[in-house]
Amino acid sequence: MLMTPGPTAVPEPVRDAMSRELINPDVDPEFQRIYDRLTDRLETVYGVESSATSEADGTPEALSRDVVVPGGEGILGLEAAIASLVEPGTEVLCLSNGLYGDGFADFVESYGGEATLVSAEYDEPLPLAELESTLADGDFDVATLVHCETPTGTLNDLGPALDLLEGADGEIVTVVDAVSSLGGVRVPTERIDVCLGASQKCFSAPPGLTTAAISERAWAAMDERDPHSLYTNFLPWRDTSEGFPYTHLTTEIVALDAALEMWLEEGLDAVRDRHRAAAARCRERGAELGLEPYPEPERSSPTVTAFYTPGRAAELQERLREERDVLVATGLGELAGDVLRVGHMGHNARVERVDETMDALEDVL
């Protein structure tokens, strides 16, 4: 049983959709219709409307975002956001309390930007006081944040940080990695210029697609930047009515469309309630087993639970896989040997699957 925090288990209706006859995305108009339906469904997930719809019905610009779905695993979105917005000399504030927050600074530097990393320890909240003082002293074009730091199971409260960014300079373009939260947790997309997701987490589709909700302000900044790449560039995806930048990943698009159909049939509130219930059960069972949460429960994500198991993570992962046929994840980077992670996101966010996983963990502890 696959209980990792992405890729997640793919339910049968999604697998069935993938087995259908292949559509040629370059010449068959049916593919464009499927892609358009997919982006419409993602607008519901993100809680936004497209810019065109917004202009037509008078919806406030704060709620309008263009949703695009390039072909490439979720990390493509993180790099493409930086590649599309950053050039030599661009000042970028990277707010971080985790591996992916730190990684944004690496992307910025690789594209010639000037990265200012405002960071905290991985088991601490976002460093708001340092953020406030850094904003007072600097002049930034872009700011990056992470909603769910999957390697530590941390869900960051973005509201206070966004308040500071908006108050300091209304022109800072915000980029948020919501790859491991989108679909299972509410994301404040209406306050974010580039909000990034992926197919293989809470949607329970196969890995291979990036999703992004992009504001008019972000598009304008990208136009001014004029990126030189094709693959790590969001601009060619803004209007696909005349074709796609390159041959799209047909099977993955069909799979994500089927997964979102299931998600929307269940309903937004029901999906989020299911994630909260699965997370609560996982942490309740962990406490019964004497496992220490990482980080504190009030900052833990509804999509993944991390347990602090110093020096035992790899051993427990191996025994669960070999003895009980349950696959979970360890931490990443410096925490690889000390953190064991149970993914209860997407199709796996079910109390019965959590109980089966925790029963197996109890047996191997």
Side-chain angles (χ1 to χ4, degrees), residues 109-184:
E109 291 175 355
S110 71
Y111 284 90
E114 301 294 329
T116 299
L117 181 63
V118 178
S119 62
E121 297 296 326
Y122 287 5
D123 60 348
E124 295 180 357
L126 293 172
L128 297 177
E130 187 177 351
L131 170 62
E132 186 171 19
S133 63
T134 303
L135 286 170
D137 294 337
D139 183 16
F140 297 97
D141 305 297
V142 178
T144 65
L145 308 89
V146 176
H147 192 209
C148 176
E149 276 284 0
T150 328
T152 58
T154 300
L155 186 73
N156 287 315
D157 180 4
L158 298 183
L162 292 172
D163 288 342
L164 290 171
L165 290 166
E166 291 165 0
D169 183 349
E171 298 305 313
I172 297 176
V173 176
T174 52
V175 175
V176 171
D177 170 0
V179 167
S180 296
S181 55
L182 182 69

